[in-house]
């Protein structure tokens, strides 16, 4: 799979090219990156004569689970985010790197499994497509064909990458 997104301010000269049905927009309130110490051997890409080789350790879900509270604290520590705000005040788009990663993320964030329904749906339909997978989850929040009467105004996004990193 592949995906791309454009992040920027409204621009009247190009707004005409945007889908009319995508009136939903999100402001970026904060970003946060967390590199898990001593985790470079848990997930990495290696170039070989046969192409790219991906290493995914079985220890990734517990590492994510243990690091998620620290990540969440960093993500919510912004002057723009109200101090009373919690992870339950927003929808969540979590990179569906696998069943155990979604379960570990939901548990660490104290979220009910249905909160990650869009992540589960992308995993079911497409699997883990590496970096672009999170954008396929994000697209579900913009897609006018997907019923979303219970959507919240704020969306938390989490992706995982080599190193092991949480973004």
């Amino acid at each position: 799979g592949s995906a791309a997104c454009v992040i920027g301010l409204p621009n009247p000269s190009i707004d005409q090219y945007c889908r009319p049905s995508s009136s939903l927009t999100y402001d970026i309130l904060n970003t946060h990156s967390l590199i898990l110490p001593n985790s470079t051997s848990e997930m990495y890409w290696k170039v070989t004569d046969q192409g790219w080789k991906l290493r995914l350790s079985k220890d990734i879900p517990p590492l994510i689970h243990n690091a998620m509270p620290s990540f969440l604290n960093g993500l919510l520590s912004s002057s723009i985010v109200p101090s009373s705000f919690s992870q339950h005040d927003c929808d969540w788009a979590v990179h569906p790197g696998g069943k155990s990663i979604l379960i570990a993320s939901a548990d660490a964030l104290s979220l009910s499994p249905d909160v990650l329904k869009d992540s589960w749906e992308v995993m079911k339909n497409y699997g883990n497509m590496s970096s672009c997978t999170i954008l396929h989850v994000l697209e579900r929040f913009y897609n006018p064909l997907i019923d979303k009467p219970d959507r919240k105004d704020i969306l938390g996004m989490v992706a995982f990458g080599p190193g092991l990193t949480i973004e």
Side-chain angles (χ1 to χ4, degrees):
S2 64
C5 67
V6 176
I7 299 173
L9 298 171
N11 184 335
S13 66
I14 62 168
D15 285 348
Q16 63 184 325
Y17 302 108
C18 297
R19 283 190 293 173
S21 58
S22 3
S23 58
L24 175 65
T25 61
Y26 292 104
D27 294 327
I28 297 174
L29 300 180
N30 198 16
T31 63
H32 185 63
S33 297
L34 181 66
I35 300 172
L36 282 62
N38 304 314
S39 65
T40 54
S41 63
E42 305 303 327
M43 178 194 293
Y44 62 83
W45 288 97
K46 182 178 181 180
V47 180
T48 70
D49 291 338
Q50 291 77 38
W52 288 87
K53 178 183 176 186
L54 173 62
R55 156 94 165 115
L56 293 172
S57 163
K58 64 178 177 37
D59 296 325
I60 292 173
L63 287 168
I64 287 172
H65 184 275
N66 293 338
M68 196 62 80
S70 175
F71 174 79
L72 181 65
N73 185 49
L75 185 63
L76 297 181
S77 65
S78 165
S79 60
I80 298 174
V81 180
S83 59
S84 62
F85 187 83
S86 85
Q87 70 271 28
H88 302 288
D89 296 324
C90 63
D91 286 321
W92 284 93
V94 175
H95 172 76
K99 177 182 175 182
S100 55
I101 288 176
L102 287 177
I103 291 169
S105 298
D107 185 60
L109 292 169
S110 301
L111 301 173
S112 63
D114 65 305
V115 173
L116 300 184
K117 63 183 176 256
D118 294 290
S119 296
W120 282 103
E121 194 64 26
V122 168
M123 188 177 78
K124 181 179 92 175
N125 291 330
Y126 306 104
N128 182 358
M129 300 172 284
S130 194
S131 302
C132 72
T133 312
I134 190 64
L135 295 180
H136 285 263
V137 178
L138 178 62
E139 192 274 335
R140 293 183 56 82
F141 286 85
Y142 286 92
N143 190 330
L145 301 177
I146 297 173
D147 186 35
K148 45 187 168 286
D150 58 342
R151 291 284 193 228
K152 297 178 180 171
D153 292 334
I154 298 176
L155 173 66
M157 289 181 61
V158 182
F160 311 103
L164 185 65
T165 58
I166 303 176
E167 301 278 338

